[in-house]
């Protein structure tokens, strides 16, 4: 009788699981079936054993039949339901079944800085010819729990991500590989220090050059939250997992322009789930993951021990692969590995070889190189390139030539010149007449060979020409089209500070859109900055041939892209250009609102990376001016998400090369870009009245259930929380930028 | 011209003077007032002359939006800003000119107001025309190191000249009227003062550009009165001396002409200095295309060097003393500069040339203010119950204080009570008449605690001795 009770529970679980997947209890009368099971439990002692088992068999048969039917054709929306089901395996199951032993670090259960993020030192072992080899690894991942409130559904808080980062560093110090397990619907969108976005950015920044092998496994990959521990050397994904830029519900709300509080149509959610290309198969095709790990037809549950065995094998194999690729004789080793992988579906019990997972310095270098190459290559097919064939080849040749030139001029000659100068100065400093007689001709000859390099003009002398007075004519050269109206506007702070109404031609004319009494900044179009921030005529755009596309064939995106291209006369949401500020040459990337709300997709990411690399080869400072960004372009799915690690890798390499990377936020800057390649800058500044954050107030309300004050994301609050380093007045943007260029940044800038 | 209707966007005695000028020109006008000014005489007078429809109450004299809506409502075609408030605000002038229902701004073109409104810009243009300016920077300095180098140079220069207590001034480039100016006596303290002024300027004017000048201590403050038209005519009305000022650089006694070499000995050739100042002022006016009334402010040091300080692109309080000593085409009686200003702004030609202007006698202006001179010129407030002054053919008095009923001084604005303009055939006579005038004045009133009114009449009487003396 006890057995039959267990059987009944199992059956009930299987039925509820089907209900979870279908998201509909009425499907194939599942609810009735469940009632029957419950009924049987009620009448367990009233019926004969034979009848009970007969009934059980019948139900079992029916359930099996239905399971097959469901498994036959799983829609993306149903995959999402599988991942979200309470019966799906969690990190706890992985730690218990995949690893031999583990010690949780940074907290246990509820007593934890963030129970949604679990860190453990674990041992994973393999058998080679009956000998057991143990490997130490750092396991970092989300714990969704089984409905416990404190787990927060696997939504890591900013300090949870910070904890993850701390232990990544520990692993780096100790030289052990890291296994990441991503089970998160997304990061918890709160701004409290260290800040949702900023912490993810910091994690990405560190991971891009972390000196240990990293392997990640994705079960539920919710956008930024997933990236926080997702920049790894190999990314594995469960066959029934999902990895997406946004939840289907979130996408549906945006796509359908559903107002807050209104019910989302189920059909729309299903449609969006399919459009977002979030399944493992889709992601493999897009190249955003490396391998799929087979799961049982309806997804792995906590008792699927076979799956855990496979996971253990795959984690070891992936780590092996990362390590072997760094070895000098890697071709042979990689070949051997590949052979074994193709052997068949069954996992072998034994490994052929034992591979140590520690790396030499040279191998670490190789590891980082490969990682950089991997992420730089992501999303290459997500954009359209106008140039083709010969011209492209020529472009590449030119790039090489440019690189060579700058390498020669600033990399080789400059230090040499510095040394010679130093020697001459030292010798001259000795001060004897005799020596002077000797050095003078040398100096003259030297000056002849190396003509004086253009230094940035001093602030003082030509300043009068530069900015004669606030009354001089220079502001009249570009007047915002907003100014062409005879009307007044009311400052939003009027009731607080008693600001007078502002006459529009004044406001958008020489007041630069700033309320003279309270300093509120009214938004200005991005062209204003192009005209007023940089030296006249110094803006030279490049990479205009990279065009935003529709890689997922997202319904309706083509028309919208067409419309924006027509309206703005531009082909992506980012403008990358060379410019000068008071004679200092710099490279600028500018995200602007008029094109798809400044969202970042493959084209934008690629242009950003190229701009970053251009700044690196030319040794110029690099400015990211964010007029507005709405985040990652959701219609590009994970191709959009991978722009986060991709651009961060480029930024990290630029900063490491000794440049100056400045980020200036204006208007609205939210989500993915802030949580990656922008938020990782050591110099981030907000223009007054701008808003900076991870998720908007609506998303915060919907995910946390809490309302935030209207100034929650204001630059002032961002400064208080330490997300940015300063607030600039728009009218002083140019001056402050110049000061920053002169005083900040690494030693490798061309003018240093 | 009678079609025009002038909105008078000011208060107090200047509003009354503008009203009189409009009446003389046969122009309609409307006035505005605030709640605090309800009892002001200019409101009463306007009601009397133009009826209740010509009087509009507004919440502030400083809100352009309100003033423009009153102008539209009243069908005004021109705006007279008086002095203070919007008189030197180029944005206001520009808005008047560029709005869809344009209004004539009675003052110079807005471009001129803008260009001469910046001390630094004025200084630079003047320098390029060979006009002497006070030693120091001639472009705004944004850089601390440059500023310090310049300060050092200025100290050195003064020591070379044998000045015992050298000092320099740090000024906010966009400032004016004594705001954002600080003196530095030691180079060591310069940096801190410089930073303070820079921050102040940034907060107050939105431009942190600073100006560094030698601080002159022994000098006379002179002015040149100009009248120009939209047709390129430039005529001057001589000079004034405004050296007698209260703390905070508020003028109290002014006299025209600027020096009187017949009465006093100056350590330099006074007539020649005045001539040079006038010549330079006209040169600058012609260069910028000046087209209305304006005042060129100068300082003259003991060695007889004039330095241009700044240009006031408006009618000034003390314009009438220049008018009082001026005669056009030999006509008896003074000129009305406000009338000429309005005519010029409405596009008329002046109708006379420099050679038609002659000068006669000396005129002195007394600013009668309810203030306690002994306590740092602190303003007095209370109610005036009696305000008597002598009626003389050689004296005129402008006041917004009504006679025949008690008037409480609004605390929102400065406690100016009246302007007395005295004229005499020569300086001695003017001074005697001024003394007689002051003695015959009778102002009574008390504050909320029943204490008697405090005025500066005694102070004015005493200071008359110093008028035109170096």
């Amino acid at each position: 009788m006890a057995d039959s009770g267990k059987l009944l529970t199992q059956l009930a679980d299987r039925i509820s699981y089907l209900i979870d997947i279908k998201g509909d209890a009425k499907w194939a009368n599942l609810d009735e079936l469940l009632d029957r099971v419950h009924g049987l439990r009620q009448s367990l002692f009233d019926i004969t054993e034979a009848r009970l088992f007969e009934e059980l068999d019948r139900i079992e048969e029916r359930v099996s039949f239905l399971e097959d039917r469901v498994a036959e054709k799983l829609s993306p929306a149903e995959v999402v339901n599988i991942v979200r089901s309470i019966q799906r395996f969690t990190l706890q199951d992985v730690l218990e079944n995949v690893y031999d032993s583990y010690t949780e670090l940074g907290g246990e259960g509820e007593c934890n800085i963030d129970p949604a993020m679990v860190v453990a030192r674990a041992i994973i072992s393999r058998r080679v010819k009956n000998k057991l080899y143990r490997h130490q690894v750092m396991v970092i991942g989300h714990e969704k729990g089984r409905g416990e409130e404190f787990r927060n559904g696997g939504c890591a808080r900013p300090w949870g991500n910070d904890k993850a980062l701390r232990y990544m560093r520990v692993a780096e110090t100790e030289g052990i590989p890291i296994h990441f397990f991503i089970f998160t619907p997304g990061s918890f969108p709160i701004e409290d220090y260290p800040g949702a976005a900023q912490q993810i950015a910091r994690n990405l920044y560190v991971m891009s050059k972390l000196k240990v092998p990293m392997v990640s496994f994705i079960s539920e990959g919710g956008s930024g939250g997933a990236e926080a521990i997702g920049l790894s050397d190999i990314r594995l994904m469960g066959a029934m997992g999902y990895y997406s830029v946004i939840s289907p519900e979130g996408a549906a709300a945006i796509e359908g322009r559903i107002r807050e509080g209104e019910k989302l149509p189920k059909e729309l959610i299903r449609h969006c789930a399919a459009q977002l290309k979030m399944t493992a198969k889709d992601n493999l095709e897009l190249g955003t993951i490396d391998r799929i790990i087979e799961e049982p037809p309806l997804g792995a549950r906590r008792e699927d021990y076979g799956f855990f065995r496979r996971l253990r094998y795959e984690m070891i194999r992936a780590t092996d692969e990362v390590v072997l690729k760094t070895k000098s004789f890697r071709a042979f080793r990689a070949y051997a590995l590949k052979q074994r992988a193709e052997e068949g579906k069954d996992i072998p019990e034994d490994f052929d070889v034992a591979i140590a997972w520690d790396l030499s310095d040279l191998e670490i270098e190789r590891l980082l190189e490969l990682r950089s190459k991997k992420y730089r290559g992501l999303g290459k097919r997500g954009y359209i390139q106008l140039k083709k064939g010969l011209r492209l080849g020529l472009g590449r040749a030119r790039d090489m030539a440019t690189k060579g030139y700058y390498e020669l001029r600033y990399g080789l000659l400059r230090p040499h010149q510095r040394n010679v100068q130093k020697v001459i100065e030292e010798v001259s400093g000795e001060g004897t007449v005799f020596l002077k007689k000797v050095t003078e001709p040398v100096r003259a000859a030297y000056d002849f060979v190396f003509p004086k390099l253009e230094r940035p003009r001093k602030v003082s002398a030509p300043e009068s020409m530069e900015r004669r007075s606030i009354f001089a004519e220079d502001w009249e050269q570009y007047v915002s089209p907003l100014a062409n109206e005879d009307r007044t506007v009311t400052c939003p702070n009027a009731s607080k500070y008693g600001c007078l109404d502002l006459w529009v031609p004044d406001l958008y004319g020489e007041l630069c859109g700033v309320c003279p009494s309270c300093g509120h900044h009214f938004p200005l179009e991005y062209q204003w900055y192009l005209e007023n921030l940089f030296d006249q005529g110094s803006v030279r755009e490049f990479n205009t041939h990279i065009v935003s596309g529709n890689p997922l064939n997202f319904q309706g995106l083509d028309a919208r892209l067409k419309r924006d291209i027509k309206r703005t006369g531009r082909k992506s949401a980012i403008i990358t250009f060379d410019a000068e500020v008071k004679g200092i040459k710099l490279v600028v990337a500018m995200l602007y609102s008029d094109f798809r709300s400044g969202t970042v997709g493959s084209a934008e990411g690629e242009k950003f990376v190229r701009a970053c690399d251009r700044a690196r080869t030319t040794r110029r400072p690099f400015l990211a001016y964010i007029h507005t960004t709405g985040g990652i372009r959701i219609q590009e799915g994970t191709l959009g998400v991978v722009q986060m690690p991709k651009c961060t890798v480029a930024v990290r390499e630029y900063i490491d090369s000794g440049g100056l990377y400045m980020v200036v936020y204006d208007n609205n800057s939210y989500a993915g870009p802030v949580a990656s390649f922008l938020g990782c800058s050591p110099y981030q500044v907000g223009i007054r009245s701008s808003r900076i954050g991870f998720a908007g107030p609506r998303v915060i309300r919907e995910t946390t259930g809490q309302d935030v004050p209207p100034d929650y994301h204001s630059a002032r609050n961002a400064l208080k929380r330490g997300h940015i380093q300063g607030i600039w007045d728009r009218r002083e943007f140019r001056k402050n930028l110049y000061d920053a260029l002169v005083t900040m940044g690494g030693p490798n800038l061309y003018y240093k | 011209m009678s079609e025009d209707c002038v909105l008078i966007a000011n208060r107090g005695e200047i509003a009354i003077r503008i009203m009189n000028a409009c009446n003389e020109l046969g122009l309609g006008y409307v006035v505005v007032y605030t709640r605090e000014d309800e009892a002001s005489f200019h409101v009463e007078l306007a009601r009397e002359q133009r009826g209740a429809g010509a009087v509009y109450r507004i919440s502030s004299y400083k809100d352009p939006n309100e003033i423009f809506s009153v102008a539209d409502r009243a069908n005004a075609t021109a705006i007279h800003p008086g002095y203070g408030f919007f008189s030197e605000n180029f944005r206001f002038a520009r808005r008047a000119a560029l709005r869809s229902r344009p209004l004539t701004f009675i003052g110079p073109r807005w471009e001129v107001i803008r260009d001469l409104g910046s001390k630094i810009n004025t200084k630079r243009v003047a320098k390029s025309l060979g006009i002497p300016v006070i030693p120091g920077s001639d472009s705004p300095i944004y850089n601390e190191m440059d500023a310090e180098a310049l300060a050092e140079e200025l100290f050195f220069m003064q020591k070379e000249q044998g000045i015992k207590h050298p000092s320099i001034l740090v000024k906010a480039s966009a400032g004016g009227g004594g705001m954002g100016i600080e003196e530095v006596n030691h180079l060591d303290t310069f940096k801190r003062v410089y930073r303070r002024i820079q921050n102040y300027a940034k907060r107050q004017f939105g431009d942190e550009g600073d100006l560094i000048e030698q601080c002159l201590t022994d000098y006379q403050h002179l002015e040149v009165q100009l009248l120009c038209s939209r047709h390129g005519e430039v005529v001057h009305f001589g000079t004034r001396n405004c050296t007698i000022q209260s703390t905070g650089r508020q003028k109290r006694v002014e006299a025209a002409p600027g020096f009187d070499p017949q009465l006093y000995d100056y350590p330099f050739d006074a007539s020649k200095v005045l001539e040079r100042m006038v010549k330079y002022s006209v040169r600058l006016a012609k260069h910028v295309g000046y087209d209305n009334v304006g005042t060129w402010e100068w300082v003259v040091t003991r060695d007889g060097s004039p330095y241009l300080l700044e240009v006031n692109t408006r009618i000034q309080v003390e314009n009438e003393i220049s008018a009082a000593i001026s005669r056009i085409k030999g006509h008896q009686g003074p000129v009305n500069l406000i009338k000429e200003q309005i005519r010029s702004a409405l596009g008329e030609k002046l109708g006379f040339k420099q050679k038609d202007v002659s000068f006669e006698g000396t005129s002195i202006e007394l600013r009668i203010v309810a203030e306690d001179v002994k306590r740092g010129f602190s303003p007095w407030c209370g109610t005036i119950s009696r305000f008597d002054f002598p009626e003389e053919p050689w004296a005129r008095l402008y006041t917004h204080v009504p006679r025949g009923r008690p008037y409480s001084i609004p605390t929102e604005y400065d406690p100016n009570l009246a302007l007395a303009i005295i004229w005499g055939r020569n300086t001695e006579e003017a001074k005697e008449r001024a003394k007689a005038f002051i003695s015959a004045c009778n102002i009574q009133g008390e504050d909320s605690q029943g204490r008697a009114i405090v005025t500066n009449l005694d102070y004015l009487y005493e200071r008359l001795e110093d008028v035109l003396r170096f």
Side-chain angles (χ1 to χ4, degrees), chain A residues 458-461 463-464 467-473 475-476 486-489 500-507 509-511 516-517 582 729 731-732 735-736 739, chain B residues 60 62-65 90-92 94-96 98-101 110 114-115 117-118 120-121 124 139-140 142-143 146 173-174 198 202-209:
Chain A
K458 255 187 85 188
V459 198
S460 55
E463 180 67 15
S464 54
R467 187 176 155 181
R468 283 186 303 208
S469 82
I470 54 167
F471 304 97
E473 288 79 27
W475 57 265
E476 283 176 350
D486 178 20
R487 65 182 181 94
T488 56
V489 292
L500 296 175
D501 284 2
L502 297 156
W503 193 46
V504 160
D506 278 345
L507 176 63
E510 87 276 3
L511 294 182
S517 70
K582 298 192 194 180
D729 192 295
R731 295 163 296 186
E732 288 166 357
K735 179 183 166 289
N736 288 342
D739 287 349
Chain B
S60 162
K62 291 180 185 164
D63 185 353
N65 305 303
F90 80 87
R91 290 197 188 111
F92 184 87
R94 185 176 61 190
R95 184 166 166 189
L98 299 183
R99 65 206 296 273
S100 46
R101 185 182 168 276
W110 63 266
R114 184 190 65 196
D115 292 347
S118 150
I120 201 83
N121 197 35
R124 203 183 62 244
S139 62
Y142 296 96
N143 178 319
D146 295 342
S173 169
Q198 197 171 36
K202 196 161 137 188
R203 261 199 329 273
Q204 210 68 24
F205 315 111
D207 176 24
E208 58 179 352

Side-chain angles (χ1 to χ4, degrees), chain A residues 259-448:
Chain A
R259 255 181 270 139
E260 206 175 340
E262 276 176 36
K263 204 163 181 288
L264 292 164
K266 266 211 172 119
E267 206 32 62
L268 187 64
I269 298 174
R270 244 173 259 148
H271 170 76
C272 284
Q275 292 267 294
L276 285 169
K277 301 271 192 315
M278 49 171 53
T279 63
K281 214 166 138 252
D282 290 331
N283 275 298
L284 189 65
E285 262 169 39
L286 293 172
T288 52
I289 58 161
D290 299 292
R291 268 208 290 279
I292 296 176
I293 297 183
E294 284 308 318
E295 288 188 44
L298 282 180
R301 275 170 271 180
R302 51 182 324 190
E303 319 75 33
D304 286 319
Y305 301 105
F307 169 73
F308 295 129
R309 261 201 309 283
R310 180 181 290 274
L311 185 57
R312 172 209 291 255
Y313 170 75
E314 292 284 356
M315 291 306 284
I316 294 175
R317 188 161 82 93
T319 316
D320 279 352
E321 190 180 328
V322 175
V323 171
L324 285 178
K325 274 188 178 166
T326 68
K327 308 278 182 195
S328 39
F329 49 101
R330 75 188 162 83
F332 169 69
R333 294 278 194 163
Y335 178 72
L337 265 166
K338 206 173 170 195
Q339 281 296 94
R340 267 191 314 128
E342 281 166 6
E343 272 169 16
K345 288 223 160 191
D346 285 333
I347 333 152
E349 285 292 312
D350 270 18
F351 280 82
D352 298 341
V353 282
I355 296 162
W357 286 350
D358 47 350
L359 301 177
S360 70
D361 286 351
L362 211 72
E363 286 159 356
I364 288 171
E365 216 169 276
R366 177 97 188 119
L367 173 80
L368 300 184
E369 218 171 89
L370 285 169
R371 194 183 297 155
S372 162
K373 209 169 145 199
K374 169 184 167 72
Y375 281 93
R376 282 168 172 273
L378 286 180
K380 284 271 186 202
R381 38 174 285 204
Y383 55 86
I384 304 156
Q385 201 153 343
L386 292 182
K387 273 199 254 177
K388 279 211 174 94
L390 187 64
R391 285 181 64 199
L392 190 70
L394 273 177
R396 231 176 249 145
R398 205 187 47 211
D399 284 352
M400 297 281 280
T402 314
K403 200 171 169 184
Y405 167 74
Y406 281 99
E407 196 54 45
L408 189 69
R409 177 164 173 187
Y410 296 113
L412 287 171
L413 291 187
R414 177 49 84 72
H416 171 67
Q417 186 191 9
R418 272 197 212 121
N419 289 340
V420 173
Q421 233 159 17
K422 213 170 143 194
V423 168
I424 290 180
E425 267 155 25
E426 273 169 8
V427 172
S428 311
E430 298 291 309
T432 64
V433 183
F434 171 73
L435 268 179
K436 208 167 189 187
K437 267 188 193 154
V438 178
T439 55
E440 211 51 38
V442 176
R443 183 190 280 270
Y446 169 79
D447 283 348
F448 179 75

Side-chain angles (χ1 to χ4, degrees), chain B residues 196-213:
Chain B
R196 188 160 53 226
I197 293 289
Q198 197 171 36
N199 285 337
Y200 174 83
K202 196 161 137 188
R203 261 199 329 273
Q204 210 68 24
F205 315 111
D207 176 24
E208 58 179 352
D210 287 344
L211 181 70
I212 297 161
E213 281 178 351

Side-chain angles (χ1 to χ4, degrees), chain A residues 90-115:
Chain A
T90 70
L91 180 58
Q92 196 65 39
D93 303 316
V94 173
L95 279 170
E96 281 169 8
N97 297 299
V98 173
Y99 296 90
D100 292 344
S101 74
Y102 71 96
T103 316
E104 210 176 310
L105 302 171
E108 222 173 309
E110 200 170 357
C111 189
N112 204 322
I113 184 152
D114 185 3

Side-chain angles (χ1 to χ4, degrees), chain A residues 542-560:
Chain A
F542 54 80
N543 284 334
T544 47
H545 64 283
I546 295 174
V547 182
S548 284
N550 186 3
L552 305 190
N553 287 320
F554 202 96
Q555 214 177 332
L557 180 63
D558 283 322
R560 278 179 264 174

